Amino acid sequence: MAVVASAPGKVLMTGGYLILERPNAGVVLSTNARFYAIVKPLYDEIKHDSWAWVWTDVKLTSPQLSRESMYKLSLKNLMLQCVSSRQVLFESRNPFVEQAVPYAIAAALALFDKDKTDALNKLLLQGLDITILGCNDFYSYRNQIEARGLPLTPESLAALPPFTSITFNAEEQNGQNCKPEVAKTGLGSSAAMTTAVVAALLHYLGVVDLSPLSKFEGSADLDVVHIIAQTAHCIAQGKVGSGFDVSSAVYGSHRYVRFSPDVLSSAQDAANGTPLQEVMAAILKGKWDHERTKFSLPPLMNLLLGEPGTGGSSTPSMVGAVKRWQKSDPAKAQETWRKLSEANSKLEIQFNILSKLAEENCNAYKCVIDKFSEQKSEKVICIYELRFFLELWDILVDCVVCETVWIEQSIEPSQEAVVKALLGARSAMVEIRNLMHQMGEAAGVPIEPESQTRLLDATMDMEGVLLAGVPGAGGFDAVFAVTLGDSGNNVAKAWSSLNVLALLVREDPHGVSLETADPRTEEITATVSAVHIE
């Protein structure tokens, strides 16, 4: 029987660069863009002489890349060797799946007793048939839309068939041949894919049971998925990253503090000949000291992503430049990071206040959101900042100007706390953007390039936009905005006029999930059910 698991993509709203070092926190939002992994036996039954085998077969299929690869898996040392690969586009390996398979099986061997190990071996001797599928949102289809003369709108994206074939960046750059790369939108496809494959394998092998899990609180089973996915992802990348992308793929939206890199030190022993089962046992028993706190956007707020079409950025090279700046000017770097950490905390606090206010007085909260979703915030921001300035100098704040604004905005006393929190969140994001821009200039990398600054300034001046920024490490990837109420459609139209493609991605706070069927079948069923015959 096939097992289908999915894991979401991410948007790192705060914590770029800082999240690499403990105890700095970041707020990461999981999305409705999901990666799917389908695991089933390759053969219907075990041949009579199969116990003499020391290898079993693994087949990996990626329909969107027209890729099919066959592997031999050693049941003795869990080595995975590619024996054939059929690709239409170009030769390429998938290191994330190639690490996920042996590490998931090693975890099973480390946790199972002899009886379960025997059953595991029988199951493995039927082979593994793995299919991976990523939602269209992970990839850029902007070039195809423009080539067809279609408008840069979400409707053009929605018209594409689900799991459309993936396109590639240009093969030539600066007149030189280079390996084509998949054009992505920066949602963390490798982390979501690794997590989905690990989750599907662990459930298929009987290591975890994902079916009864709650979406955030989770259980020890979710923790096992997290440990194996983090390990496989780090090994495939060749470095121990912060892990926020894998964490959100497993647990969903939350506030995250990274694990200590030393917890994966035993993974290096695998290269020195230590059996993978022993390595995985040590990793599972390690002190995983990452921290996560439940978080999601307050009610009536929506995440919106826009693809400006200026090309992606290399996160590793930007991180390297920032680290070199930290070493060359430690005092300035430390001060910038302190201010940035405080600004990140301010934004998180304001969002938590808004969530609490929505719960305590939903009518007042909804009334304010409805009003702000239909107007620009610039004028309100200016007066709010003036009021704050006057408070600092102990000057009477109930001046005619301020009173005029509150009356003009029809703000009742019960709504004032909501307004202050909204403006506080916006002010915190402006501060974050300024500090990130300063850090980029000091490090010599475009964390918020000038083109993105113009776009973000224009976006924050649009009706219904609370705040906007560059996610994660910044650069020329997609920008994000948090919109109020139903203003998202108008923002998407305004972005289109600025040559920015609004994506279909929205926040979905849920993490890894066990699905009921192949998502391709579900899409067909949904389409058929939507047809009305008269």
Side-chain angles (χ1 to χ4, degrees):
M1 180 177 178
V3 168
V4 185
S6 69
K10 53 73 187 173
V11 173
L12 184 63
M13 189 167 63
T14 69
Y17 297 97
L18 275 69
I19 204 172
L20 293 168
E21 298 179 4
R22 291 176 55 84
N24 297 317
V27 170
V28 57
L29 304 179
S30 55
T31 70
N32 58 350
R34 302 186 77 86
F35 229 101
Y36 297 83
I38 305 166
V39 177
K40 59 184 179 181
L42 189 57
Y43 308 116
D44 293 334
E45 58 184 19
I46 305 173
K47 297 180 181 179
H48 69 279
D49 60 346
S50 60
W51 284 106
W53 297 356
V54 293
W55 298 83
T56 191
D57 298 324
V58 177
K59 178 177 151 183
L60 172 62
T61 305
S62 178
Q64 291 164 287
L65 287 173
S66 302
R67 174 187 300 170
E68 181 180 293
S69 300
M70 287 296 301
Y71 297 86
K72 287 290 185 181
L73 174 69
S74 169
L75 298 180
K76 181 179 180 181
N77 57 22
L78 301 183
M79 287 183 59
L80 194 66
Q81 297 183 8
C82 185
V83 294
S84 68
S85 180
R86 180 179 62 81
Q87 296 217 173
V88 173
L89 296 171
F90 67 94
E91 287 297 321
S92 177
R93 303 283 290 275
N94 190 322
F96 299 98
V97 175
E98 291 177 3
Q99 296 298 335
V101 171
Y103 274 98
I105 297 173
L109 293 171
L111 295 171
F112 284 174
D113 57 23
K114 186 180 184 303
D115 291 340
K116 285 189 174 181
T117 299
D118 290 342
L120 172 66
N121 286 329
K122 290 181 180 179
L123 187 60
L124 290 176
L125 286 172
Q126 288 184 258
L128 293 171
D129 187 345
I130 304 172
T131 301
I132 53 175
L133 297 159
C135 286
N136 290 348
D137 308 282
F138 285 102
Y139 308 105
S140 174
Y141 296 94
R142 181 187 177 105
N143 290 341
Q144 298 96 304
I145 291 174
E146 291 179 328
R148 297 174 185 174
L150 299 175
L152 290 174
T153 62
E155 290 75 17
S156 296
L157 277 178
L160 295 172
F163 311 110
T164 296
S165 295
I166 297 168
T167 60
F168 295 82
N169 294 327
E171 295 190 32
E172 294 193 4
Q173 186 174 359
N174 298 326
Q176 297 179 349
N177 290 328
C178 64
K179 183 178 179 180
E181 295 181 349
V182 175
K184 300 180 181 180
T185 55
L187 292 178
S189 57
S190 65
M193 175 177 60
T194 303
T195 301
V197 172
V198 166
L201 280 170
L202 292 177
H203 187 91
Y204 176 77
L205 299 175
V207 181
V208 301
D209 183 3
L210 298 177
S211 52
L213 291 179
S214 62
K215 292 300 184 183
F216 182 87
E217 288 76 11
S219 69
D221 283 347
L222 269 188
D223 295 336
V224 171
V225 173
H226 175 251
I227 292 172
I228 309 306
Q230 288 283 17
T231 303
H233 193 251
C234 288
I235 296 298
Q237 284 187 315
K239 64 182 180 68
V240 181
S242 67
F244 77 87
D245 45 4
V246 172
S247 185
S248 63
V250 175
Y251 299 110
S253 298
H254 61 279
R255 176 186 187 269
Y256 175 79
V257 176
R258 70 158 304 152
F259 57 86
S260 298
D262 291 345
V263 75
L264 285 175
S265 59
S266 57
Q268 300 173 358
D269 297 337
N272 300 326
T274 303
L276 199 59
Q277 177 182 344
E278 295 181 19
V279 170
M280 200 65 253
I283 292 174
L284 286 166
K285 294 177 182 177
K287 184 181 179 181
W288 286 82
D289 53 359
H290 58 285
E291 301 172 20
R292 71 180 196 278
T293 307
K294 188 173 182 179
F295 180 92
S296 62
L297 289 177
L300 303 179
M301 294 191 189
N302 300 292
L303 175 69
L304 193 65
L305 292 179
E307 185 183 356
T310 49
S313 300
S314 173
T315 298
S317 64
M318 294 177 68
V319 170
V322 170
K323 287 184 174 180
R324 288 191 294 272
W325 164 66
Q326 283 182 281
K327 292 181 179 179
S328 64
D329 192 355
K332 179 65 175 177
Q334 186 175 4
E335 177 67 8
T336 302
W337 278 40
R338 182 188 64 79
K339 292 180 179 179
L340 190 52
S341 179
E342 290 176 355
N344 289 339
S345 181
K346 288 178 185 176
L347 180 60
E348 180 187 345
I349 289 171
Q350 296 305 317
F351 274 136
N352 288 334
I353 290 174
L354 287 162
S355 294
K356 186 177 180 181
L357 291 171
E359 184 178 347
E360 293 176 347
N361 193 339
C362 61
N363 290 332
Y365 177 86
K366 184 177 184 303
C367 182
V368 173
I369 296 297
D370 288 344
K371 289 177 181 177
F372 273 53
S373 67
E374 298 172 354
Q375 61 189 5
K376 298 180 181 181
S377 302
E378 184 180 12
K379 185 176 181 180
V380 183
I381 287 295
C382 292
I383 299 301
Y384 177 78
E385 290 177 343
L386 172 61
R387 186 169 185 172
F388 179 72
F389 175 79
L390 294 175
E391 288 174 348
L392 289 178
W393 289 92
D394 294 326
I395 299 177
L396 183 63
V397 296
D398 293 325
C399 58
V400 177
V401 176
C402 291
E403 287 181 350
T404 301
V405 171
W406 291 118
I407 294 172
E408 180 184 334
Q409 299 301 326
S410 302
I411 299 299
E412 299 176 3
S414 62
Q415 301 170 358
E416 185 172 335
V418 181
V419 174
K420 286 184 176 180
L422 287 171
L423 301 180
R426 184 180 173 97
S427 177
M429 176 52 71
V430 171
E431 187 177 358
I432 290 170
R433 284 184 54 201
N434 287 336
L435 290 166
M436 292 285 278
H437 185 77
Q438 292 173 23
M439 184 166 64
E441 287 189 332
V445 289
I447 293 178
E448 187 181 295
E450 186 60 35
S451 59
Q452 300 286 61
T453 296
R454 291 194 299 269
L455 171 60
L456 293 173
D457 288 346
T459 300
M460 289 188 71
D461 194 36
M462 294 176 186
E463 293 182 356
V465 173
L466 175 63
L467 52 85
V470 288
F476 294 95
D477 292 328
V479 298
F480 77 88
V482 174
T483 63
L484 304 176
D486 298 325
S487 60
N489 291 334
N490 292 331
V491 175
K493 292 177 182 177
W495 271 355
S496 181
S497 67
L498 297 174
N499 202 36
V500 176
L501 175 60
L503 305 181
L504 301 172
V505 177
R506 298 293 183 268
E507 185 202 8
D508 180 347
H510 301 142
V512 70
S513 175
L514 190 68
E515 304 293 336
T516 57
D518 186 324
R520 295 167 293 185
T521 304
E522 291 181 337
E523 292 288 351
I524 293 173
T525 303
T527 302
V528 172
S529 64
V531 176
H532 299 280
I533 301 176
E534 298 182 356

